[in-house]
Amino acid sequence: MLPLAAIERVARKAGVERISREALEELRNIVEEIAQELASEAAELAKHAKRKTIRAEDIKLAAGKV
């Protein structure tokens, strides 16, 4: 689970001045869901390439698919 403080920093960098705790929690849930989908797709790409290690290129390719 990602810390709320990290999610808040991301929101602030995006220009958000104020954000409720509920909004932070919902954003965290969505970010975690997207990250899990990316990791799963990247794992499939690595497996297809007969590798056990996920590389940055796998993440980039997975991001293009999701």
Side-chain angles (χ1 to χ4, degrees), residues 1-3 7 25-38:
M1 188 171 253
L2 295 170
I7 300 298
E25 290 171 353
E26 189 62 30
L27 182 57
R28 173 177 62 189
N29 292 339
I30 292 168
V31 168
E32 286 177 348
E33 186 177 311
I34 292 169
Q36 288 174 350
E37 290 176 21
L38 280 174

Side-chain angles (χ1 to χ4, degrees), residues 4 7-8 18-30:
L4 286 179
I7 300 298
E8 186 172 5
R18 294 180 55 155
I19 187 166
S20 71
R21 182 177 178 84
E22 292 171 344
L24 283 172
E25 290 171 353
E26 189 62 30
L27 182 57
R28 173 177 62 189
N29 292 339
I30 292 168

